[in-house]
């Protein structure tokens, strides 16, 4: 007659499937061996199935972690970020960002609507090109403004003199 040694299926218990885990826990394969876990933020994961509601498995972390994709969390792609945020690779490592004015950028795709990536700043920043913003060319300035270089390579957005 065989006997079964059960661990109770609590947090940290070894499992083969979620049926081995107590209510509210799932078998998480992000651990070796797999363990019963709640799937909360910061727990290791292999896929988003290992994570609780509102969380995804983010592989920008080593090992991968369950994350909500909030602003300034690391990311590999915009799929790791919440709605309204994108994965901005101007930060090292890349972070979920809104693309607001003065945030770093690699391209204008990193910036929110109405802003563009302005290389007149070091590092480049999301800017609207308003009066007084730095610029390299007229393309960095809002409509009706021009880039006044004043003999240098970095100028200022201003109206025509």
């Amino acid at each position: 007659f065989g006997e079964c040694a059960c661990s109770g299926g609590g947090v940290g218990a070894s499992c083969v499937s979620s049926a081995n885990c107590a209510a509210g826990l799932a078998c998480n394969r992000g651990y070796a061996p797999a363990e019963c876990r709640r799937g909360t933020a910061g727990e290791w994961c292999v896929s988003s199935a290992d994570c609780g509601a509102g969380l995804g498995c983010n592989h920008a972390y080593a090992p991968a972690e369950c994350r909500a994709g909030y602003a300034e969390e690391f990311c590999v792609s915009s799929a790791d970020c919440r709605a309204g945020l994108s994965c901005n690779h101007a930060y090292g490592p890349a972070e979920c960002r809104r693309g607001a004015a003065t945030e770093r950028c690699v391209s204008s795709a990193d910036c929110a609507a109405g802003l563009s990536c302005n290389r007149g700043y070091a590092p480049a920043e999301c800017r609207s090109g308003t009066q007084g913003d730095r610029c390299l060319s007229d393309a960095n300035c809002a409509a009706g403004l021009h880039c006044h270089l004043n003999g240098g390579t970095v100028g200022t957005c201003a109206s025509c003199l």
Side-chain angles (χ1 to χ4, degrees):
F1 302 106
E3 291 187 52
C4 177
C6 298
S7 63
V11 173
S14 294
C15 57
V16 175
S17 73
S18 293
N20 303 125
C21 302
L25 303 179
C27 190
N28 184 323
R29 300 192 189 291
Y31 295 83
E35 295 181 3
C36 295
R37 292 288 175 164
R38 295 190 196 297
T40 56
E43 288 187 0
W44 296 346
C45 55
V46 172
S47 72
S48 292
D50 295 323
C51 304
L55 302 176
C57 189
N58 186 324
H59 293 275
Y61 294 83
E65 294 182 6
C66 295
R67 291 290 179 158
Y70 290 115
E72 299 183 20
E73 284 188 5
F74 300 148
C75 54
V76 173
S77 72
S78 292
D80 295 324
C81 305
R82 288 179 105 45
L85 302 176
S86 62
C87 189
N88 186 323
H89 293 274
Y91 294 85
E95 297 179 0
C96 295
R97 292 289 182 151
R98 296 189 192 291
T102 72
E103 285 189 2
R104 295 180 193 168
C105 55
V106 173
S107 72
S108 292
D110 296 325
C111 302
L115 302 176
S116 62
C117 190
N118 186 326
R119 299 196 187 296
Y121 294 85
E125 295 181 1
C126 295
R127 292 289 182 148
S128 62
T130 58
Q131 181 94 14
D133 275 358
R134 293 181 187 168
C135 57
L136 297 178
S137 71
D138 288 346
N140 299 131
C141 301
L145 299 178
H146 299 280
C147 186
H148 295 277
L149 294 174
N150 299 323
T153 56
V154 177
T156 304
C157 293
S159 57
C160 288
L161 301 174

